[in-house]
Amino acid sequence: MAATPKKKRTAGRILAVGAGLATVGALVAALPAGASGPKDGGSHGRYVDVQLLSFNDLHGNLEPPTGSAGRVTHTNPDGTTRTIDAGGVEYLATHLRQAREGNRYSITAAAGDMIGASPLVSGLFHDEPTVEALNRLKLDVTSVGNHEFDEGAKELARIQNGGCHPTAGCFEKGKRFRGADFPYLAANVTNEESGKPLLDPYFIWERNGVKIGFIGVTLEGTANIVSAEGIKGLKFGDEIETINKYTKVLERKGVKSIVALLHEGGAPASGSYNYNCDSPGPGDGISGPIVDIAKNVSPQVDALVTGHTHQAYACTIPDPTGKPRTVTSAASFGKLYTDTTLTYDRRTKDIVRTAVASANHVVTRDVPKAADMTRLITRWNALAAPIASRPVGYISGDVDNPADAPEKPLGNLIADAQLEGMAPADKGGAQLALMNPGGVRAPLVHKASGAEGDGVVTYGEAYTVQPFTNMMTAVDLTGAQLITTLQQQVSGANQAAPKILQISKGLTYTLDMTKTGADRIVVSSVKLNGEAIDPSKTYRVAMNEFLAGGGDGFAVLKEHKNKLVGASDLDMFTAYLAAHSTATAPLAPPATGRITVVK
């Protein structure tokens, strides 16, 4: 049975070509002969332009993200670059509503990670504020992402269907959480015993005889990057096989126009949102898992809306028949949205692929704020304020978390905090700490976000950096296992997209990027406090429960012994800030240099 929205929408919602800075996909072409009739959605025209607005990886960023997390890079015609402050749902709502004006046929869709790893104003309330905001944004449909499973399958069901949190209860007196107005799609997430999808596998959008099907999947490797406890009994299937399976199902239902919402992505050769990733030059284009997926997904799928990698692109990748097909991603945190025009042929009931045009647009902050979003944020901030505004430390400058750097100042700070918290003999006796880079969600910014004053780190800001509240552990690893851990950063599941662990002071090594796979780790260079790691010796290592369970492709970490569980990563982070900074002696951003990178 086709999925339908849980709550009925107002008919005839209006969309239009988005305003703002954009990069245009390469598939703009003339329509076939005879396609010059009306395209305004009127009942007499053969061709109808349907606007698809899409975004991904919002991660509960209701307020404008701060520092580098809230900027996009624009490449000027002369090759120079500039950054643009972007994001915030007050601005996203305005941009989307302006983009919708004047278009009769339209859809708004997303590609997962709408919630999870969220700032405190959303995360403290189990992301109910974000779902409320998405309802107000008139989101039609989204796929699940890996972060939709951060609190497990049962919590995801509550997010979809509504109801108060089983332990925290209702957050606002007299109000019951209504759930998502839009369907979450999880075609490749199935019950291991029954084989049935956890949630709806597809959704059919229909307006005046125009039908477009959406198939939603998350990456097959989701089980490796979320807590195992919350997904017991679930299987995450192959993305290509699943999309192709449900493409046939939709075709049998007479739906020939199909869009895949896929929480998996790629990496364009440039970090600029307006980079033309169809450029033919050496080293240009896009790489990563999405390339192989797009080349093998059924040609009947007309476009792929993707996510997960937090990159910006509007590319074309050939389908299995060699024909170009649009593949898009709108970065993350609501900084961009993608505007794709799908020209629907009423006679064939299919999309005219040669007429597909796609563009990414910046969610600039120079437009009026959407008043309803401002009221929403103000309301939830008032509930969070007693906790969020409490000072926990002081910094003398920005402690950054650059996406393109193997070693990050903020990663060093967090690893040091974890080592200090787990080093006492009665706390675990840790000698070093390892931190997964994906667990560090935002930089610490010196400029005040509110009335706290510059350089003050509030609990809310610390929570935004480490929102998962993972419990810390100290475990035994042999030197050989420790070296294998470092090698698994750049080999196996992580070879195509390395995950460089953030390491505590005292641990040093060389990362040789001129080599491939495990050989990128120069084994003789791995030292602790200046002494070479002894493969036969046992070391006490601090890490969070996620890593200790083998998360992020670090399978060897599951072989640990003598685990001792400590406080949460957030508690250790705030305790470290409190112990090492005052208003008159703020903490300086840590230096880098623990990892020597050879390029």
Side-chain angles (χ1 to χ4, degrees), residues 49 63 156 168 175 188-189 192 248 302 315 325 331 349 378 382 396 398 403 412 419 423 459 465 477 541 587 597:
D49 276 354
E63 297 178 290
L156 176 57
K175 289 187 179 181
N188 67 330
V189 186
E192 284 184 330
K248 293 177 181 177
D302 298 295
C315 299
R325 175 168 53 193
K349 300 181 180 180
T378 299
S396 63
D398 289 351
N412 287 353
L419 174 59
Y459 182 84
V465 170
L477 291 178
V541 184
L587 183 71
V597 181

Side-chain angles (χ1 to χ4, degrees), residues 335-383:
K335 293 178 289 189
L336 301 174
Y337 71 92
T338 310
D339 184 343
T340 301
T341 299
L342 302 172
T343 298
Y344 183 88
D345 185 340
R346 288 184 182 274
R347 187 176 300 170
T348 65
K349 300 181 180 180
D350 207 348
I351 299 299
V352 182
R353 284 261 298 273
T354 54
V356 173
S358 192
N360 271 328
H361 298 248
V362 180
V363 177
T364 58
R365 302 177 189 170
D366 58 357
V367 296
K369 295 180 180 180
D372 59 333
M373 294 298 178
T374 301
R375 289 192 296 270
L376 183 153
I377 292 169
T378 299
R379 194 178 92 241
W380 287 103
N381 266 333
L383 289 175

Side-chain angles (χ1 to χ4, degrees), residues 367-489:
V367 296
K369 295 180 180 180
D372 59 333
M373 294 298 178
T374 301
R375 289 192 296 270
L376 183 153
I377 292 169
T378 299
R379 194 178 92 241
W380 287 103
N381 266 333
L383 289 175
I387 297 172
S389 61
R390 175 169 59 88
V392 295
Y394 304 86
I395 53 175
S396 63
D398 289 351
V399 187
D400 213 349
N401 185 44
D404 56 352
E407 181 184 353
K408 313 168 195 296
L410 186 53
N412 287 353
L413 174 59
I414 289 170
D416 288 349
Q418 293 177 352
L419 174 59
E420 183 168 294
M422 300 298 288
D426 62 340
K427 301 293 185 183
Q431 298 165 274
L432 66 141
L434 305 174
M435 175 63 197
N436 56 303
V440 186
R441 305 304 299 184
L444 277 182
V445 179
H446 184 264
K447 182 176 176 60
S449 59
E452 74 274 11
D454 291 349
V456 178
V457 180
T458 65
Y459 182 84
E461 291 166 338
Y463 184 99
T464 298
V465 170
Q466 291 214 276
F468 296 110
T469 318
N470 270 313
M471 302 310 292
M472 288 301 302
T473 69
V475 302
D476 283 353
L477 291 178
T478 65
Q481 289 170 325
L482 181 57
I483 290 170
T484 299
T485 299
L486 298 180
Q487 292 173 329
Q488 287 181 346
Q489 299 176 115

Side-chain angles (χ1 to χ4, degrees), residues 150-483:
D150 281 350
E151 294 189 50
K154 289 184 179 179
E155 173 63 3
L156 176 57
R158 186 185 75 89
I159 290 294
Q160 177 72 90
N161 299 317
C164 297
H165 192 272
T167 56
C170 296
F171 297 112
E172 295 181 287
K173 187 176 180 179
K175 289 187 179 181
R176 180 183 180 275
F177 175 55
R178 62 186 278 188
D181 288 354
F182 49 90
Y184 265 108
L185 304 183
N188 67 330
V189 186
T190 56
N191 183 290
E192 284 184 330
E193 293 184 0
S194 69
K196 294 181 179 179
L198 175 70
L199 296 170
D200 291 329
Y202 61 87
F203 164 77
I204 299 173
W205 179 92
E206 182 175 5
R207 191 66 43 80
N208 296 332
V210 175
K211 294 182 180 181
I212 298 179
F214 290 84
I215 302 167
V217 300
T218 185
L219 71 154
E220 184 180 9
T222 291
N224 298 323
I225 53 176
V226 300
S227 174
E229 187 65 28
I231 57 169
K232 279 184 177 179
L234 295 181
K235 179 181 178 182
F236 293 83
D238 181 89
E239 305 97 330
I240 299 168
E241 291 177 5
T242 304
I243 294 171
N244 290 348
K245 171 185 174 181
Y246 284 103
T247 295
K248 293 177 181 177
V249 171
L250 287 171
E251 286 182 295
R252 287 196 296 268
K253 291 180 174 291
V255 179
K256 297 181 179 180
S257 300
I258 300 171
V259 175
L261 305 176
L262 170 63
H263 192 70
E264 178 62 291
S270 168
S272 293
Y273 82 92
N274 63 331
Y275 165 67
N276 178 9
C277 61
D278 291 332
S279 300
D284 278 348
I286 185 170
S287 59
I290 195 59
V291 177
D292 180 65
I293 293 172
K295 287 181 177 179
N296 288 281
V297 161
S298 169
Q300 189 58 49
V301 174
D302 298 295
L304 284 80
V305 176
T306 73
H308 188 56
T309 58
H310 291 201
Q311 301 295 306
Y313 47 84
C315 299
T316 58
I317 299 174
D319 68 16
T321 68
K323 294 180 180 179
R325 175 168 53 193
T326 189
V327 179
T328 68
S329 174
S332 63
F333 299 170
K335 293 178 289 189
L336 301 174
Y337 71 92
T338 310
D339 184 343
T340 301
T341 299
L342 302 172
T343 298
Y344 183 88
D345 185 340
R346 288 184 182 274
R347 187 176 300 170
T348 65
K349 300 181 180 180
D350 207 348
I351 299 299
V352 182
R353 284 261 298 273
T354 54
V356 173
S358 192
N360 271 328
H361 298 248
V362 180
V363 177
T364 58
R365 302 177 189 170
D366 58 357
V367 296
K369 295 180 180 180
D372 59 333
M373 294 298 178
T374 301
R375 289 192 296 270
L376 183 153
I377 292 169
T378 299
R379 194 178 92 241
W380 287 103
N381 266 333
L383 289 175
I387 297 172
S389 61
R390 175 169 59 88
V392 295
Y394 304 86
I395 53 175
S396 63
D398 289 351
V399 187
D400 213 349
N401 185 44
D404 56 352
E407 181 184 353
K408 313 168 195 296
L410 186 53
N412 287 353
L413 174 59
I414 289 170
D416 288 349
Q418 293 177 352
L419 174 59
E420 183 168 294
M422 300 298 288
D426 62 340
K427 301 293 185 183
Q431 298 165 274
L432 66 141
L434 305 174
M435 175 63 197
N436 56 303
V440 186
R441 305 304 299 184
L444 277 182
V445 179
H446 184 264
K447 182 176 176 60
S449 59
E452 74 274 11
D454 291 349
V456 178
V457 180
T458 65
Y459 182 84
E461 291 166 338
Y463 184 99
T464 298
V465 170
Q466 291 214 276
F468 296 110
T469 318
N470 270 313
M471 302 310 292
M472 288 301 302
T473 69
V475 302
D476 283 353
L477 291 178
T478 65
Q481 289 170 325
L482 181 57
I483 290 170

